[in-house]
Amino acid sequence: MSVSRGSNGTIGGIDAKRIAQLRAAEAEIFREARPKSHARTGNGIAGYFDGVPMHWMTDWPTPFPILVESARRATITDVDGNQLDDFCLGDTGSMFGHSPAPVARAIRRQASRGLTYMLPSDDALAVGTLLQEVFGLPYWQIATTATDANRFALRVARAVTGRDKILVFNGAYHGSVDETMVRMKDGKPINRQGLAGEFRDLTERTKIVEFNDLPALEASLRARDVACVITEPVLTNSCMVLPEPGFHDALRRLTRETGTLLLIDETHTISTGRGGYTKTHSLEPDLFVLGKPVAGGVPASVWGMSEETASRYTAYNRSKEPGYSGMGTTLSGNPLQFATMRATLEEVMTAKNYAHMERLAGVLAAGLAAAIKRHRLPWHVMRVGARVEFICAPGPLGNGAEAEGAHAPELEAAVHVALVNRGVLIAPFHNMMLISPVTTAAQVKRLVAAFTEVAAKLAA
């Protein structure tokens, strides 16, 4: 049985009928406030399959997509003139605010110099040393999405180890990397449900264990056939799961003992601080991936290698047969990416900005937790740096299975639309809220007030 769905007709401790009533009432308020969005997106957008440019746009809990007029700092304005305090921030893609001034200047400057030419620029020279300084690893490559960066890094891991298997943690998120689309059901590995057109049994080359389960991890690595463990430092894109004390130290020890490389994907946990969770907590990955916010909202990602991994990969390249490596895309490493990454790393992703983000995230987490306590809801709040989530189940959660069981889609959808109607936008899929350098204390206060009002309605 799901942690959030009770046998007495409740979801997350709330009567299912009350949730349905709230969602219906809030949906009507939403429609009335957005006649222009409804006219232009309510019946699907012409020319697009399923009426949207990307399929996940249909996953927003709102009755129809909000048509955005503009986004500035941490505020979105729709075509109907409604303003939303934006705590979704492009699900981390705009974690540092919409169009940060240094990034906007870099875009304007580079636009007159050419957008792509398969050759380095002065900004490329600067970014190479900035990546070393900010994240610690000595050697880097550029990609366009974190999914691609993860794919390429896993290829390197297989190349240098001569092994073909990888290991993932149940519930982890690494974009749309095929090999990571494995889950556990009833204790057994299966292809993740819902995959479109997948014709392979991904479990043949991917091992899966629960996050924080060190005995299972040790047993899976014992055969010494795993090229790489790919992991987030904290499980995200689900109900958040923090590592238990000592987990990362043991993970690093076990991978080294078994000749397995360790890839840390910081695409979401970059919220922790400058350099990410890895630098803040002194982790020592062999491979490192960061996507989404590294160029301030312009599509770009980076992946780095340790000295030893790079040396082994150099030796591999000298010995392998010539030909295309299967890694890289023509538009990756373009000068627009370098210009915006430089601006982000030098002027946006700063210790001062992270201090602001950390402080306000603490205020937000405390405010949400107080509302939950006041209304006696069986929920909890988790935070990793500037990233905050409320989870509609008791906590903390220990692994991916518990995170999946805590997910309460009907309840979360009702809360999401109710918050939108009160001028607040959070991530649509997992109750995630981000604090940016330009998020204000007043915006946080409004979010806490809106959440408290919705909680009171549900708990009445």
Side-chain angles (χ1 to χ4, degrees), residues 64-286:
F64 48 83
I66 296 170
L67 195 59
V68 175
E69 175 70 29
S70 65
R72 295 185 178 90
R73 296 176 66 82
T75 302
I76 283 178
T77 303
D78 68 21
V79 295
D80 291 284
N82 300 296
Q83 288 194 337
L84 295 170
D85 293 325
D86 187 8
F87 291 88
C88 175
L89 295 170
D91 196 14
T92 311
S94 293
M95 190 180 81
F96 299 106
H98 295 290
S99 300
V103 175
R105 287 194 297 269
I107 292 171
R108 288 193 295 269
R109 184 178 68 250
Q110 188 58 46
S112 65
R113 299 177 179 179
L115 298 179
T116 187
Y117 29 74
M118 291 187 72
L119 291 167
S121 60
D122 281 341
D123 289 325
L125 307 184
V127 167
T129 55
L130 282 166
L131 291 171
Q132 292 175 324
E133 172 200 332
V134 175
F135 301 110
L137 277 72
Y139 298 106
W140 293 86
Q141 290 280 274
I142 309 301
T144 299
T145 69
T147 291
D148 279 345
N150 278 319
R151 286 189 183 117
F152 303 157
L154 289 174
R155 277 183 174 268
V156 169
R158 287 177 165 132
V160 303
T161 62
R163 302 174 179 178
D164 63 357
K165 293 183 180 179
I166 67 164
L167 185 144
V168 300
F169 291 106
N170 189 35
Y173 178 73
H174 302 290
S176 56
V177 178
D178 290 351
E179 302 99 306
T180 67
M181 293 294 173
V182 175
R183 291 293 183 264
M184 293 186 73
K185 183 176 182 179
D186 300 327
K188 296 180 180 180
I190 60 169
N191 279 15
R192 182 173 178 170
Q193 298 96 319
L195 294 181
E198 182 53 66
F199 58 93
R200 298 160 295 177
D201 179 1
L202 299 174
T203 66
E204 290 182 355
R205 292 294 179 267
T206 299
K207 296 185 178 185
I208 183 168
V209 300
E210 291 287 3
F211 196 69
N212 284 320
D213 190 342
L214 291 174
L217 174 66
E218 184 172 14
S220 292
L221 296 180
R222 193 176 296 141
R224 297 177 179 264
D225 57 353
V226 174
C228 185
V229 172
I230 176 172
T231 186
E232 303 175 271
V234 174
L235 286 192
T236 65
N237 216 56
S238 61
C239 299
M240 190 187 294
V241 179
L242 298 182
E244 293 177 354
F247 173 75
H248 280 296
D249 288 341
L251 170 60
R252 180 68 282 194
R253 175 180 56 81
L254 289 169
T255 49
R256 282 180 172 148
E257 287 177 355
T258 56
T260 303
L261 299 188
L262 175 61
L263 190 166
I264 292 183
D265 179 355
E266 288 259 21
T267 296
H268 287 157
T269 52
I270 190 63
S271 62
T272 308
R274 181 172 164 84
Y277 195 100
T278 294
K279 195 165 189 179
T280 301
H281 294 276
S282 301
L283 306 186
E284 298 177 356
D286 302 296

Side-chain angles (χ1 to χ4, degrees), residues 141-147 149 267 290-303 331-334 336-338 340-341:
Q141 290 280 274
I142 309 301
T144 299
T145 69
T147 291
T267 296
L290 173 62
K292 289 187 182 178
V294 71
V298 171
S301 66
V302 297
W303 56 284
L331 291 176
S332 294
N334 69 65
L336 183 62
Q337 288 177 326
F338 283 120
T340 51
M341 278 194 286

